[in-house]
Amino acid sequence: MWDTRQVWNCDETGLFWKQRSTSHACVPISFAKPHGFKVDKKRVTILFGGNAAGHKLTPLFINQHQNPRCFKNEDPEDYGIFWAANKKGWVTKVVFEDWFKDNFLPEVKSYYQEEGLDERILLLLDNAPGHP
């Protein structure tokens, strides 16, 4: 039987950080969506995870840039996040496998050592194309 500390779930969400929300504004439609206006689709994908007992994993942020200006002289891991980059800012097979091997497994193994559990992992994921 599985212990709740050994059952993990991960899922990602997209954050369109530069997109303006005009659908809830109190302005006429002609001002809300001017002719020739193109919605900015700059996004950050964030992968959250945790186990059934409530332990949260360090989130993975996927951006379009490996070294954005906000981290000019900083390391993103100093802020308690893992950082990855690709052209569109999405979870791809390569990004997911790197996160799984380099971040998920070491973090879960150290958690298991603290809790005194045997290393059995049940990871629940959706069937997104980026999850091999």
Side-chain angles (χ1 to χ4, degrees):
M1 195 64 168
W2 288 95
D3 186 345
T4 56
R5 297 173 292 176
Q6 295 173 316
V7 180
W8 299 85
N9 182 25
C10 292
D11 204 5
E12 63 273 343
T13 185
L15 173 65
F16 292 92
W17 61 276
K18 242 183 166 178
Q19 190 173 14
R20 294 184 206 171
S21 176
T22 57
S23 61
H24 297 93
C26 295
V27 295
I29 293 176
S30 60
F31 292 126
K33 294 184 180 178
H35 182 68
F37 177 74
K38 191 172 182 180
V39 177
D40 197 348
K41 295 183 181 176
K42 296 217 188 270
R43 72 179 278 144
V44 175
T45 302
I46 309 167
L47 185 132
F48 293 105
N51 67 5
H55 179 77
K56 295 174 184 72
L57 295 171
T58 304
L60 168 69
F61 281 69
I62 305 163
N63 193 357
Q64 295 173 343
H65 307 289
Q66 183 63 41
N67 299 314
R69 275 190 223 151
C70 63
F71 296 128
K72 186 176 182 183
N73 297 319
E74 307 284 334
D75 185 16
E77 292 188 14
D78 293 342
Y79 293 97
I81 61 172
F82 296 118
W83 192 264
N86 65 26
K87 187 176 178 184
K88 295 202 176 207
W90 292 347
V91 176
T92 61
K93 206 176 211 181
V94 173
V95 169
F96 187 82
E97 286 175 348
D98 287 344
W99 170 80
F100 184 78
K101 291 175 187 169
D102 299 337
N103 302 48
F104 176 77
L105 288 178
E107 191 171 351
V108 169
K109 284 181 182 182
S110 69
Y111 173 74
Y112 281 1
Q113 287 176 352
E114 290 173 10
E115 296 289 319
L117 296 169
D118 59 331
E119 294 185 6
R120 292 185 343 158
I121 299 171
L122 175 62
L123 177 60
L124 304 173
L125 298 169
D126 57 0
N127 60 349
H131 302 159

